[in-house]
Amino acid sequence: MVTLKQLAKELEVSISTVSKALNNSEEIGEETRKRVKELAELYNYKPNKVALSLKQNKTKTIGVIIPDILNYFLSKVLFGIEREANKHGYNIITCISNESLEKEKQSLELLANGSVDGFILSIAEETQTKNEINHFKDTISQGLPIVMFDRVAHDVRCDKVIVDDFESTYSATKSLIAEGRNNIVFISKIDSISVGKLRERGYNKAILEEGQTPNVLIIKKNDDTQQKIKQLYKKYDKIDGVIAADSASGVIAINMARNFKKKVPKDISVIGFSSKSVSNHSVPKLTIIRQHAKKIGAKAAELLIDRLQNTSETITTEYTTKIVKTTLVKSKSTLLQ
Amino acid sequence: MVTLKQLAKELEVSISTVSKALNNSEEIGEETRKRVKELAELYNYKPNKVALSLKQNKTKTIGVIIPDILNYFLSKVLFGIEREANKHGYNIITCISNESLEKEKQSLELLANGSVDGFILSIAEETQTKNEINHFKDTISQGLPIVMFDRVAHDVRCDKVIVDDFESTYSATKSLIAEGRNNIVFISKIDSISVGKLRERGYNKAILEEGQTPNVLIIKKNDDTQQKIKQLYKKYDKIDGVIAADSASGVIAINMARNFKKKVPKDISVIGFSSKSVSNHSVPKLTIIRQHAKKIGAKAAELLIDRLQNTSETITTEYTTKIVKTTLVKSKSTLLQ
DNA sequence: GTGAAAGCGCTAACAA
DNA sequence: TTGTTAGCGCTTTCAC
């Protein structure tokens, strides 16, 4: 990489002249500016990012910590973050906590050494079950702002972007009830995280309001989802509706239904929290609750960057919690229009 | 963040003393070392990463450019890269080219300003169709090593990690033939990228060797995969085998087969390039060609880091192409054991 | 055993 | 209009 020094030497001017010329300073004469720029162009000069970061005490880099990169929703949020960040000239350093508290702590500490200007994260499962939040508080008090999305800790004072998990599950359940279903089961592989619990509560509320009895199937990490759903259908042959809290269960519920001579959506309706591309995996396609993952990511990035750029009175600014509303996208796994 | 300067001031010693003490230099007296370390501990001192990078002219950061973060295989490779990189004390900056040549170029240029020590990437679709490779060559000649994985450019001299696409598709096709299938169709949504072409060739070779006629269904980006597969089944009712080049088509082929009263695997066998978790989306589960994505990522990271650390005679070192062999993982969508 | 000083690449206040 | 200098945080050589 060419440096200012080398350009200066070759042009026989001082380093600061070169620097100013390249930054279009009015101080520098037309003629010199032109010469400098030409040489810089020729050598494909690019200001050294590291030096700039050191000088300006900011890196234009965001640390993103996500629990699981193989989760479609989370990847999509990451996508949204990356795009929005890029738009504002920020890069992202990605760490994967792998649902582990320890790794999450490490990542936070490792990047809190000047590598990034702030964090965007979704909390690891272990962190949620152990209810640990001190590492977040420490980071924030070191002056590094955090924006949490999806799985958030309400006791940490920071910006947040969340989904209306409770309401959307409530109304999805209601819509199945409106179809005339009265044996609706709730299937969840994400029982242990906050959003999973919220969704279950939304389902419960809707069911109880109708005087029906909740029926919940929790699938654990190492369970065989197909087996579990098969057993469910075997045990309750009256099931006529499924609300799936995760992206796979809904698809599997549809595909498995045929083994029990249940026609979808004639005999049973299915709605899942999933994405368009996964909803394609079942025949008929799954009706989904879309979470607008990209938008969540973009919003999180926007909030963080706003905060980073309002250097002045960061302290006084109140923290925001933005709710990104879900959308029910109807496919052929449900009856209602 | 506390700096050496602040520690030095408080301890009433010089900055260099503090630095040396923290680095366990033998030059510094036992007593002083202890005092320094205690204060550093107290203030939770961490050496500023940016300053270190500037001083040592390396960032311990790897730039990763992937075409599509929503592709399960690519995300999984990213996971492998991240884990291996972390193990060696490296962080990763992720850029998503979104299959665009322009974005790929930009990312490369943007990070080639001292932000990273080298790159790991898989080539964007547009880059492959336009057969552009100069941006890679430029980056390498600037002294930033590149490791390519999966979709590689053979004309660029750099380390590569690839899958045995041709051979594995060839032998998967052969295995269906061995089951007695003689109307095997090849379905691909990744026609335009190098690996897609290799897989198709592997299929063709196996089919032609048996004197059968290849039958290929190409699905374009905006096509409805379910519709396409439905039409296929309608048009060729003799189909008794499917080789799917991408992760979704195999799953859909299975789930759609039932609409045509085809029993899987009695009447039709299906094999797809996919992952364990997606293979679960079909009933019965899809037999897959596993690509060991995490291993590919880990290997790529290993190759890059090796090269970065052999500072001495990088030039003389020959470039490696590592082939990570796939594994056929049998489920209930095929007959053979 | 400890400290002063240079230098990594850059910007910017100040001097000329 | 151009140059000198200091300084961002750190390591390291060399002097004391």
Side-chain angles (χ1 to χ4, degrees):
Chain A
M1 276 189 41
V2 205
T3 64
L4 287 186
K5 202 176 179 178
Q6 288 159 30
L7 293 179
K9 195 173 164 195
E10 188 147 340
L11 290 162
E12 294 184 308
V13 295
S14 78
I15 296 180
S16 55
T17 304
V18 180
S19 170
K20 286 172 188 163
L22 291 174
N23 289 313
N24 282 318
S25 163
E26 293 298 331
E27 290 181 35
I28 305 298
E30 185 67 18
E31 178 63 18
T32 323
R33 243 192 296 178
K34 209 176 134 217
R35 277 179 60 221
V36 171
K37 285 192 170 179
E38 274 168 4
L39 197 73
E41 175 82 357
L42 178 67
Y43 284 157
N44 189 24
Y45 168 80
K46 278 176 258 146
N48 183 304
K49 182 87 182 309
V50 176
L52 277 178
S53 298
L54 182 61
K55 180 79 188 160
Q56 301 173 342
N57 197 27
K58 53 184 177 184
T59 58
K60 290 279 238 168
T61 303
I62 297 173
V64 179
I65 306 176
I66 59 175
D68 179 8
I69 184 82
L70 302 178
N71 176 312
Y72 196 86
F73 168 72
L74 293 173
S75 304
K76 211 158 173 175
V77 176
L78 182 60
F79 185 35
I81 294 173
E82 199 259 359
R83 213 162 50 174
E84 184 71 15
N86 274 198
K87 211 183 287 173
H88 297 271
Y90 281 76
N91 281 123
I92 62 172
I93 291 193
T94 313
C95 288
I96 300 159
S97 69
N98 220 356
E99 307 288 9
S100 139
L101 169 59
E102 204 43 50
K103 180 79 197 302
E104 185 177 88
K105 272 189 189 169
Q106 272 176 24
S107 305
L108 226 37
E109 280 187 19
L110 222 69
L111 297 182
N113 60 357
S115 298
V116 302
D117 297 341
F119 290 95
I120 297 178
L121 59 84
S122 188
I123 302 181
E125 180 178 333
E126 192 188 353
T127 310
Q128 288 205 323
T129 51
K130 294 194 176 160
N131 202 20
E132 271 276 329
I133 54 170
N134 287 329
H135 51 312
F136 301 130
K137 290 190 168 169
D138 289 349
T139 307
I140 293 169
S141 68
Q142 272 176 55
L144 289 166
I146 293 181
V147 176
M148 298 186 177
F149 69 88
D150 198 48
R151 309 185 199 162
V152 304
H154 287 291
D155 295 341
V156 177
R157 288 175 49 80
C158 66
D159 292 315
K160 290 161 194 141
V161 183
I162 55 174
V163 165
D164 57 337
D165 291 290
F166 180 85
E167 292 77 9
S168 56
T169 318
Y170 172 78
S171 67
T173 309
K174 280 285 194 186
S175 79
L176 289 195
I177 291 169
E179 284 186 358
R181 309 300 183 180
N182 46 31
N183 274 286
I184 304 168
V185 63
F186 178 82
I187 304 181
S188 174
K189 299 175 75 166
I190 53 169
D191 171 52
S192 49
I193 58 175
S194 56
V195 296
K197 294 198 176 77
L198 285 170
R199 291 173 192 175
E200 185 173 341
R201 273 187 230 141
Y203 159 84
N204 276 328
K205 184 178 179 214
I207 292 293
L208 294 172
E209 274 182 11
E210 300 294 320
Q212 300 186 6
T213 316
N215 185 0
V216 173
L217 174 66
I218 300 300
I219 299 175
K220 297 286 176 199
K221 191 162 269 164
N222 293 316
D223 288 349
D224 179 325
T225 308
Q226 295 209 357
Q227 282 305 318
K228 283 294 210 176
I229 293 180
K230 195 186 253 181
Q231 285 162 17
L232 177 80
Y233 282 148
K234 215 173 271 179
K235 190 162 169 196
Y236 305 100
D237 64 344
K238 292 233 178 75
I239 287 174
D240 57 6
V242 172
I243 301 285
D246 58 273
S247 78
S249 301
V251 165
I252 297 174
I254 293 177
N255 293 329
M256 185 61 78
R258 298 181 165 205
N259 281 14
F260 291 82
K261 309 280 178 233
K262 286 173 184 289
K263 287 235 188 318
V264 179
K266 191 172 146 284
D267 308 321
I268 179 169
S269 285
V270 183
I271 298 180
F273 275 86
S274 196
S275 62
K276 192 169 156 262
S277 77
V278 173
S279 73
N280 251 307
H281 289 179
S282 63
V283 180
K285 293 178 191 166
L286 177 65
T287 289
I288 57 172
I289 298 171
R290 271 198 68 191
Q291 299 172 79
H292 305 287
K294 266 181 278 187
K295 196 171 158 193
I296 293 174
K299 190 69 202 171
E302 199 188 308
L303 282 173
L304 183 64
I305 292 170
D306 267 10
R307 195 164 286 277
L308 290 174
Q309 293 180 342
N310 287 352
T311 38
S312 42
E313 26 227 315
T314 308
I315 308 110
T316 48
T317 317
E318 263 318 299
Y319 291 104
T320 317
T321 292
K322 164 85 184 166
I323 298 175
V324 177
K325 284 253 171 71
T326 56
T327 316
L328 190 68
V329 181
K330 286 160 187 136
S331 289
K332 296 290 172 58
S333 72
T334 45
L335 293 170
L336 272 193
Q337 292 314 315
Chain B
M1 275 188 42
V2 204
T3 64
L4 288 186
K5 202 177 180 176
Q6 288 159 29
L7 293 180
K9 194 173 167 196
E10 187 146 340
L11 290 162
E12 295 182 308
V13 295
S14 77
I15 295 180
S16 50
T17 303
V18 180
S19 170
K20 286 171 187 164
L22 290 174
N23 290 311
N24 282 317
S25 163
E26 292 298 332
E27 287 180 41
I28 305 298
E30 185 67 18
E31 178 63 19
T32 322
R33 243 191 298 178
K34 209 176 136 218
R35 278 180 59 222
V36 171
K37 286 191 169 179
E38 274 168 3
L39 197 71
E41 175 82 359
L42 179 66
Y43 284 158
N44 189 24
Y45 168 80
K46 278 177 257 145
N48 182 304
K49 182 88 184 306
V50 176
L52 277 178
S53 296
L54 182 61
K55 180 79 188 159
Q56 301 172 343
N57 197 27
K58 52 184 179 184
T59 59
K60 291 280 236 169
T61 303
I62 296 172
V64 179
I65 306 178
I66 59 174
D68 179 9
I69 185 83
L70 302 178
N71 176 311
Y72 195 87
F73 168 72
L74 293 173
S75 305
K76 211 158 173 175
V77 176
L78 182 61
F79 184 36
I81 294 173
E82 198 258 0
R83 211 162 52 175
E84 185 71 16
N86 275 197
K87 212 183 284 173
H88 297 271
Y90 281 76
N91 281 125
I92 61 172
I93 290 194
T94 312
C95 290
I96 300 159
S97 69
N98 218 358
E99 306 289 9
S100 139
L101 169 59
E102 204 43 50
K103 179 80 198 301
E104 186 177 88
K105 273 189 188 168
Q106 272 176 24
S107 307
L108 226 37
E109 279 186 20
L110 222 70
L111 297 183
N113 60 357
S115 297
V116 302
D117 297 341
F119 290 95
I120 297 179
L121 58 85
S122 189
I123 302 182
E125 182 180 332
E126 192 189 353
T127 310
Q128 288 205 321
T129 51
K130 295 194 176 159
N131 203 21
E132 271 275 330
I133 55 170
N134 288 329
H135 52 311
F136 301 132
K137 290 190 168 169
D138 289 349
T139 307
I140 294 170
S141 68
Q142 272 177 57
L144 288 168
I146 293 181
V147 175
M148 297 186 177
F149 70 89
D150 197 47
R151 310 185 199 163
V152 303
H154 287 292
D155 295 341
V156 177
R157 288 175 50 80
C158 66
D159 292 315
K160 289 159 195 142
V161 183
I162 55 175
V163 164
D164 58 336
D165 292 290
F166 180 85
E167 293 75 10
S168 56
T169 319
Y170 172 78
S171 67
T173 310
K174 280 285 193 184
S175 80
L176 289 196
I177 292 169
E179 284 186 357
R181 308 300 184 181
N182 45 33
N183 275 287
I184 303 167
V185 63
F186 178 82
I187 304 180
S188 173
K189 299 174 75 167
I190 55 168
D191 172 51
S192 49
I193 58 174
S194 57
V195 296
K197 295 198 174 79
L198 286 169
R199 290 172 193 176
E200 185 174 340
R201 273 188 229 141
Y203 160 83
N204 277 329
K205 184 178 180 214
I207 292 293
L208 293 171
E209 273 182 11
E210 299 295 320
Q212 300 186 6
T213 316
N215 185 0
V216 173
L217 173 66
I218 301 299
I219 300 175
K220 298 286 175 199
K221 191 162 268 163
N222 293 316
D223 288 348
D224 179 324
T225 308
Q226 295 208 357
Q227 282 305 319
K228 285 295 211 176
I229 293 180
K230 196 186 252 182
Q231 286 163 16
L232 177 80
Y233 282 149
K234 218 174 267 178
K235 189 162 170 197
Y236 305 101
D237 65 344
K238 294 235 178 73
I239 287 174
D240 57 7
V242 172
I243 301 286
D246 58 272
S247 78
S249 301
V251 165
I252 297 173
I254 293 176
N255 293 329
M256 186 60 78
R258 298 181 166 203
N259 281 13
F260 292 81
K261 309 278 180 234
K262 288 172 183 290
K263 288 238 190 316
V264 180
K266 192 172 146 283
D267 308 321
I268 180 169
S269 284
V270 183
I271 298 180
F273 276 85
S274 197
S275 63
K276 192 169 156 262
S277 78
V278 174
S279 74
N280 251 306
H281 290 179
S282 64
V283 180
K285 293 179 191 166
L286 176 65
T287 289
I288 57 172
I289 299 171
R290 272 198 69 191
Q291 299 173 79
H292 305 287
K294 266 181 277 185
K295 197 171 158 194
I296 292 174
K299 190 69 201 173
E302 200 189 308
L303 283 173
L304 183 64
I305 292 170
D306 267 9
R307 196 165 286 277
L308 290 174
Q309 293 180 341
N310 286 351
T311 39
S312 43
E313 27 227 315
T314 308
I315 308 108
T316 49
T317 316
E318 264 317 301
Y319 291 105
T320 317
T321 293
K322 166 85 184 168
I323 299 175
V324 177
K325 284 254 171 72
T326 56
T327 316
L328 190 69
V329 182
K330 288 162 187 134
S331 289
K332 296 291 171 58
S333 73
T334 45
L335 293 169
L336 273 193
Q337 292 312 314

